[in-house]
């Protein structure tokens, strides 16, 4: 795992586990007032940056997890004394590859064979609903600074360690489920989260990537 800190000189921090193939760039148009620690590139499940980062200077730390980042937030070894004030999951589950509870196995295997052309097609699938075309055009102007080879290497890494690790346990206070999701099928998200009696569940009339419906990450809390 890699990290990038957006420093807004705030006493509050959003710990944001992004999705597969992402970095901080697609979210750069959002006007956040909190500091944001972006976590991305899950080629390996370890992240030494967490042990070098000073979480203690913040009055509040909130967790935001998107897509594969929902699972990654569960396997990440965060400092034991880190208290999270609120946790939100978006368009993902704690079981990343599963025909009924995550990304279907066949779909995952096809994604592993991506090239520069298929990456574009995948990115189009991130969006759905009324503003799909508009939001895809915004995304195209703020692409992750990662090529197809980097994304493929990440998938191969995930394929190695996901079967070896136990299903993580993490409680979320709120879960957003995208109702037009073509990446993590909506029905699979519903299957998974319907068993969670703890989290507040909110259905979004969007595709997998809903962030351009908001002015900031804070709005999701």
């Amino acid at each position: 795992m890699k990290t990038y800190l957006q420093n807004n000189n705030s006493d509050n921090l959003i710990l944001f586990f992004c999705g597969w193939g992402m970095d901080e760039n697609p979210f750069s148009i959002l006007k956040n007032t909190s500091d944001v620690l972006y976590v991305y590139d899950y080629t390996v499940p370890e992240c030494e940056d967490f042990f070098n980062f000073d979480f203690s200077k913040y009055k509040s730390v909130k967790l935001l997890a998107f897509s594969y980042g929902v699972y990654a937030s569960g396997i990440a070894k965060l400092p034991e004394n880190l208290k999270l004030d609120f946790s939100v999951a978006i368009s993902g589950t704690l079981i990343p590859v599963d025909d009924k509870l995550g990304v279907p196995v066949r779909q995952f295997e096809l994604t592993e064979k991506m090239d520069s052309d298929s990456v574009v097609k995948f990115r189009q699938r991130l969006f759905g609903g009324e503003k799909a075309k508009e939001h895809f055009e915004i995304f195209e102007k703020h692409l992750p600074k990662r090529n197809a080879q980097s994304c493929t290497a990440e998938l191969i890494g995930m394929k190695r360690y996901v079967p070896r690790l136990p299903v993580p346990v993490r409680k979320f206070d709120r879960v957003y489920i995208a109702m037009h999701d073509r990446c993590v099928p909506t029905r699979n998200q519903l299957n998974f989260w319907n068993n969670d009696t703890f989290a507040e569940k909110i259905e979004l009339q969007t595709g997998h990537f809903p962030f351009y419906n908001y002015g900031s990450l804070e709005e999701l809390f």
Side-chain angles (χ1 to χ4, degrees), residues 19 89 91 108 118-119 121-122 127 166 170 201 208:
S91 302
F108 180 83
S118 53
V119 164
K121 293 179 181 178
F122 171 81
F127 302 94
R170 177 171 292 288
K201 300 170 191 70
H208 186 68

Side-chain angles (χ1 to χ4, degrees), residues 15-29:
L15 177 58
F16 183 15
F17 286 81
C18 305
W20 166 77
M22 295 285 171
D23 59 17
E24 74 281 358
N25 211 43
F27 310 96
S28 61
I29 69 166

Side-chain angles (χ1 to χ4, degrees), residues 5-161:
L5 177 65
Q6 179 187 13
N7 188 348
N8 293 317
N9 296 312
S10 174
D11 292 331
N12 303 313
L13 177 72
I14 296 173
L15 177 58
F16 183 15
F17 286 81
C18 305
W20 166 77
M22 295 285 171
D23 59 17
E24 74 281 358
N25 211 43
F27 310 96
S28 61
I29 69 166
L30 301 178
K31 306 302 181 184
N32 307 308
T33 56
S34 302
D35 286 6
V36 183
L37 184 63
Y38 294 90
V39 187
Y40 65 97
D41 192 345
Y42 306 113
T43 305
V44 297
E46 297 83 13
C47 186
E48 294 182 1
D49 291 350
F50 289 144
F51 299 99
N52 299 321
F53 188 81
D54 185 9
F55 289 97
S56 66
K57 68 180 182 179
Y58 292 101
K59 294 180 179 178
S60 170
V61 179
K62 295 178 180 178
L63 174 71
L64 181 62
F66 166 57
S67 190
Y68 185 84
V70 175
Y71 170 78
S73 74
I75 63 172
K77 293 182 179 179
L78 300 174
E80 291 183 2
N81 61 349
L82 176 61
K83 179 182 179 295
L84 298 171
D85 293 291
F86 203 84
S87 297
V88 171
I90 302 175
S91 302
T93 77
L94 289 166
I95 300 178
V97 183
D98 187 273
D99 286 338
K100 294 183 178 180
L101 301 172
V103 176
V105 175
R106 178 61 176 161
Q107 183 176 322
F108 180 83
E109 290 174 347
L110 289 173
T111 306
E112 189 179 323
K113 300 175 182 178
M114 277 193 169
D115 55 24
S116 56
D117 291 331
S118 53
V119 164
V120 175
K121 293 179 181 178
F122 171 81
R123 287 170 174 166
Q124 289 175 323
R125 291 173 61 85
L126 292 172
F127 302 94
E130 294 181 357
K131 296 185 177 180
K133 184 176 183 296
E134 174 188 342
H135 288 175
F136 175 66
E137 290 174 353
I138 297 172
F139 188 85
E140 284 282 277
K141 296 175 182 177
H142 301 86
L143 291 175
K145 297 174 183 176
R146 301 181 59 187
N147 56 30
Q149 290 75 22
S150 168
C151 296
T152 300
E154 184 176 5
L155 279 169
I156 293 171
M158 291 154 53
K159 192 173 183 179
R160 289 195 190 106
Y161 65 75

